[in-house]
Amino acid sequence: MYAERISGLKSSAIREILKITSRPGIISFAGGLPAPELFPEKEIAEAAQDIFTKYGTSVLQYSVTEGLLTLREKISAMLDPDASHTGPQNIIITHGSQQGLDLISKLYLEKGRVVFTETPSYLGAIQAFRLFQVDILPIASDEDGIQPEGLLKAIKKQRPALIYLMPNFQNPTGVSLSLERRKQVVDIVKEHDLLLLEDDPYGDLFFSGEKMPSLFTLGRSHNFIYMSSFSKTIAPGLRIAYIAGDEKMISKLAVVKQGTDLQTNTFGQYLVNEYLESGRYNSHKDLLRQTYKQRRDCMLAAIDKYFPASVSRNCPNGGMFLWVRLPEQYMAGHILLKCLEKKVAFVPGQEFYSDGSGENTIRLNFSNATSENIEEGIKRIGEVLKVEGL
Ligand SMILES: Cc1ncc(COP(=O)(O)O)c(C=O)c1O
């Protein structure tokens, strides 16, 4: 017999769609994949050589649960250049942010408690939380992110075990939480002494202006946990990410992590550390920002050219996704089946609504396709939308 907590689990529909879209000849806007041609392949290969020269066999040895000190120092300096509130003792390295979601769930979630999310939210997080038999309460959100009034109203009814937000270019919509709302959310969380998890894998991929301050930096208290990853800015296959937070919480997480996998892969940590030391990270992020911006622009132009006027779309200022809304009565799941016949794919937005709504929404990924494929793929979706009577 499987454990009771497994009974409600199902495979992510996105993973199922990805199985189809990995077939040759399909233009896929479905995955959340970075552009592989931009991976710093040569630099990582060089770093692999260099770490053996510098550190010898210790790059293949067991290492500490919290992660390499030198890597944690670099991360804390990125988060807080003045070291006024964050040091290496506030950081733990994880196998991807997805592991961070699991570890935090293990530490804080219990059957019957509730997790508040924005609407829609990251499916991988919802999956991780559900394993701990919590209820997910989606809070009303719009083009500026979660609505603070909605959050307050929900808090008055029920105290959440956790509030989970992606303030920058969130997955799936690409929406960011406005600065004004960031301050309001921070105030609410502090005033009610709640726990907020900020998941920020896309924050460095902004297309104009500069990075907005994190809730973690604005809040500076035990109420805020920050999480980010090198998956989108170096390479996801390395599985190196981190959690930042209150020192006591980080030590508890380390104990939880010991029971999970002892430590994060030593070799991968040394690789990322060496890559950061090489001084190439900033220019690499510039390249990602430039390329993804071009791809976003290309996708927006193609949507405006080929989609019927009744379809609306947003224009995220960063990240890897944009969001499309069909008129109410149209089902994106049905449109997807028609699109697959034309060898083009996307993810129906409904997957990201924990309450099953959002049938008429679509997530489009723009980071993983060339301009030619973006133009051709959007044209094909546009043809299906017209045949379906939009
Ligand atoms: C919002 C968000 N959080 C976490 C993850 C997991 O990333 P990783 O485990 O590769 O760091 C993703 C991946 O797409 C994501 O979009």
Side-chain angles (χ1 to χ4, degrees), residues 32 95-99 101 122 125 164 166 170-171 199-202 227-232 236 239-241 320-321 363:
H95 272 121
S97 288
Q98 194 62 36
Q99 183 182 52
L101 290 165
Y122 171 52
Y164 170 72
M166 293 159 278
Q170 72 114 271
N171 183 359
D199 186 4
D200 187 26
Y202 305 104
M227 208 164 74
S228 188
S229 171
F230 295 102
S231 284
K232 305 303 191 302
R239 311 303 302 131
I240 303 292
M320 301 188 353
F321 305 105
R363 184 188 78 174

Side-chain angles (χ1 to χ4, degrees), residues 116 149-160 192:
F116 291 178
E149 320 78 70
L151 183 59
L152 256 183
K153 226 161 107 190
I155 291 165
K156 287 192 176 138
K157 283 199 191 134
Q158 199 172 13
R159 193 176 166 81
H192 295 262

Side-chain angles (χ1 to χ4, degrees), residues 61-69 72 92-93 254 257-258 262-266 269:
Q61 190 54 283
Y62 282 116
S63 57
V64 296
T65 304
E66 288 82 356
L68 287 188
L69 178 61
R72 286 186 287 128
I92 184 166
I93 311 288
K257 187 167 162 67
Q258 280 163 18
L262 300 181
Q263 57 152 106
T264 296
N265 148 26
T266 314
Q269 293 186 66

Side-chain angles (χ1 to χ4, degrees), residues 122-338:
Y122 171 52
L123 185 62
I126 296 173
Q127 274 185 318
F129 301 148
R130 283 211 168 122
L131 196 53
F132 295 86
Q133 300 175 287
V134 291
D135 292 321
I136 309 288
L137 186 74
I139 308 285
S141 311
D142 56 32
E143 61 283 359
D144 285 324
I146 194 166
Q147 294 172 353
E149 320 78 70
L151 183 59
L152 256 183
K153 226 161 107 190
I155 291 165
K156 287 192 176 138
K157 283 199 191 134
Q158 199 172 13
R159 193 176 166 81
L162 187 69
I163 303 170
Y164 170 72
L165 297 184
M166 293 159 278
N168 294 317
F169 323 120
Q170 72 114 271
N171 183 359
T173 61
V175 159
S176 293
L177 186 62
S178 68
L179 184 58
E180 196 190 334
R181 284 195 184 172
R182 283 176 200 237
K183 293 178 183 160
Q184 288 171 304
V185 169
V186 164
D187 287 346
I188 293 171
V189 168
K190 281 185 149 178
E191 194 185 319
H192 295 262
D193 196 20
L194 301 170
L195 184 65
L196 186 141
L197 171 59
E198 172 173 23
D199 186 4
D200 187 26
Y202 305 104
D204 280 335
L205 301 175
F206 52 88
F207 300 155
S208 65
E210 47 189 59
K211 196 168 169 176
M212 269 201 264
S214 64
L215 303 177
F216 177 69
T217 311
L218 291 171
R220 292 191 177 208
S221 73
H222 65 277
N223 307 93
F224 299 89
I225 307 175
Y226 179 87
M227 208 164 74
S228 188
S229 171
F230 295 102
S231 284
K232 305 303 191 302
T233 52
I234 302 182
L238 294 171
R239 311 303 302 131
I240 303 292
Y242 56 91
I243 300 171
D246 163 69
E247 193 176 343
K248 264 212 263 159
M249 187 268 308
I250 294 290
S251 355
K252 285 275 178 220
L253 274 180
V255 179
V256 174
K257 187 167 162 67
Q258 280 163 18
T260 304
D261 65 351
L262 300 181
Q263 57 152 106
T264 296
N265 148 26
T266 314
F267 188 66
Q269 293 186 66
Y270 271 104
L271 276 181
V272 169
N273 183 62
E274 189 64 19
Y275 183 69
L276 297 183
E277 241 163 53
S278 74
R280 290 155 157 167
Y281 189 47
N282 282 341
S283 59
H284 182 63
K285 285 191 289 188
D286 283 341
L287 174 71
L288 293 175
R289 288 191 274 261
Q290 258 171 32
T291 313
Y292 291 174
K293 179 179 186 301
Q294 278 162 9
R295 291 180 182 185
R296 179 208 62 181
D297 289 344
C298 175
M299 189 170 268
L300 292 177
I303 289 174
D304 294 347
K305 185 164 158 197
Y306 295 114
F307 281 13
S310 57
V311 175
S312 65
R313 51 85 176 162
N314 66 358
C315 174
N317 186 37
M320 301 188 353
F321 305 105
L322 59 84
W323 193 242
V324 167
R325 206 171 273 281
L326 308 176
E328 289 287 336
Q329 69 275 25
Y330 288 91
M331 309 289 252
H334 169 75
I335 304 285
L336 172 65
L337 294 178
K338 299 287 165 194

